[in-house]
Amino acid sequence: MSALPNSKSSLLYATRSCSALALAGAIILPVTPALAQNATADIPAAAGSLPGDRVRENPTDTSDEFYPHLSYNALKNTDKDQVLDFWGWGFEGDFNSPKGVQVVVREVGLNSPVLVVSDIVEYNHENLAFAYQSGYIHGTAKIPANTLDKEKDYVIEVWGNNGYEGDEFITPVVGQAPEGRGTLLATQELDFEGSDGTTAADIPGKTPQKVTFRYRYDGEDSYLYTAEGGTIHVKGWGYTKEWRDKHGKVVFYIATSRGVPDDGDFLPAKDVLLRFEEGKDFTIAENGTLNAQLRVKPGELQNYYEPRVPFPGAPSYEKRYEVNYEIGMFTEKQGQPPLTLDDLRAGKNVLFHSALYTQAFRPSPFAPKVEYKALGDTTADQNIYFLGTGFYGQFNFSRGVQYVIREKGSNTPVLGTSDIFEYNHPSHISEFKNGKVRGVVKVPANTLDPAKKYVVEVWTNNGYKNGENAGPVVGKAPEGRSELLASQDLNFKGSDADEGKQPSLTDEQRKERATRGELTAALYAQAGSPKVNLPVVSPWPDVKTTDPNFPAYVWARQKGITFGWSDGKFHAEASISNATVAAFTYRAAGSPTLDHDWHSYTDLTPDSAFFREIVWAGQNRVALSTSGTFDPKHTVTRGELEVLMMAF
């Protein structure tokens, strides 16, 4: 990066640039969304050309027109080479700068060395017509990888150079402090998120025109997780003693927002008002720099809005909505009582006000995996039940996600697809929830050929475009229609066939009746087959201590899932009913308290056997019936038990 007097700036030449136009005496700034939005309010009317004699020491001492604003792009990828593209306005006045001005980046503090410096932006350059005219500047600076550290504080400054002293060109250069090498025209805190120029830069020697405010959460997180608490890091610039003497001391408040979900009858969130006060919870530096750490304790903020009446067909914890919070920065003059929640919401003494991005719990990492049992007879119609796990995160879809089966390869057409599963759907409570995606793909006879290779995939669905379903549809390749979330080979023997697990059931085995022993063993396996202190003598006369499932039966006894029959035997080979599965799974889940006893089963009344267990099973989709009856005495087959255990 050159600072030689004859070096060409890296700005675009007028003959090659459309970033700014001078039409009918008006200036049109470089078009950026943020700048365009604020152009009318924040950009002063353009003045005419300045005189050629620019020799006064500092424009802030001579010109009321000098009112600098500086804008620049985000600088997030500090580990890579990047370009700082800056533009500004309000740089009018007489400068002691024979060659022009430069933008400098360095750490906060006097005499800190320059880390980044732009080329010289010359006033009224004959070729660079829009680089510096009528108070407007535009230029670029190259930032090598790892020059900046997001954990440190930096300033971005505009300096006028001092021309030559002997043979040396006196201007800011990398590695040296710029003090004494130029005239500081404007400075403001560097924001890695970028600046849209709405905040005026600090004019040396004057009180800042406008204070700044920005905040971030711990590390790279984009949310504050209310269940675990955390720290909100607030930074600002311009809070000088003079400013605070005039406006009052600085305080921060975190409070619940006034809005509650409008698609249900929810209890309002508890009024929470966290207050952080200057001098008590944080300090402000002599130069007006604010660097506050607002610490929120775990559980100090309420996680969810609670429904007044639990939702029909779903446990209330499945239907809670996360509470919304706001953060505000206010001033309080001496002797003034602390602001109330009503004061905050009325905007009294407000400096800044923003939504606080919160989540109740930190999401688990996105680690998708799809499980399924062995495929049935491909010459007959069949349903393939899929359970996807690890689908955490925020996905770019407008409708939901779908399972897709197609031949292995790119741009192959879809052969079978599931319904669309919407995240947190109000009535389909177990389809896409807590990182799990449950679904079934109906596969017509002779669609699949065991001699070929297929994949099962999970795709987003983006609704309709020009009247056509933009998601996966049978007969078309899904590429270009939506976003692929997960893909894995489809194994006709089931997803666990290559993992040394027990082989999936055959079609004939699925038709056989399931037993108490199989149900107990399945629950034990789902619990992780924990170690059990086995008795020397079996508690049941019909179960030997050498039985492979003996640990599972003892575990079930210790957990209170089953103690056997009234005759003292276990009856591992006895058939099981829908009611038995409901009872066992309810107890295996810890016998949770029902939030409500609403149900849609016409064959169930409060005095029915296992009423509580069946209601819970229905609310959690551990049930086979979709016809409005539970049919508690129905004998469960081994295939049906697979489905129920997958749901559980």
Side-chain angles (χ1 to χ4, degrees), residues 514-548:
T515 66
R516 282 170 52 85
E518 288 174 330
L519 172 58
T520 307
L523 293 173
Y524 179 63
Q526 284 202 3
S529 302
K531 185 178 180 180
V532 180
N533 293 323
L534 300 176
V536 177
V537 179
S538 172
W540 307 281
D542 58 340
V543 177
K544 297 180 179 180
T545 57
T546 56
D547 189 313

Side-chain angles (χ1 to χ4, degrees), residues 516 539-542 557 562-571 574 584 587 610:
R516 282 170 52 85
W540 307 281
D542 58 340
R557 180 186 179 92
T562 179
F563 296 93
W565 283 14
S566 58
D567 61 3
K569 297 180 180 180
F570 189 82
H571 291 281
F584 276 42
R587 297 166 192 162
F610 301 111

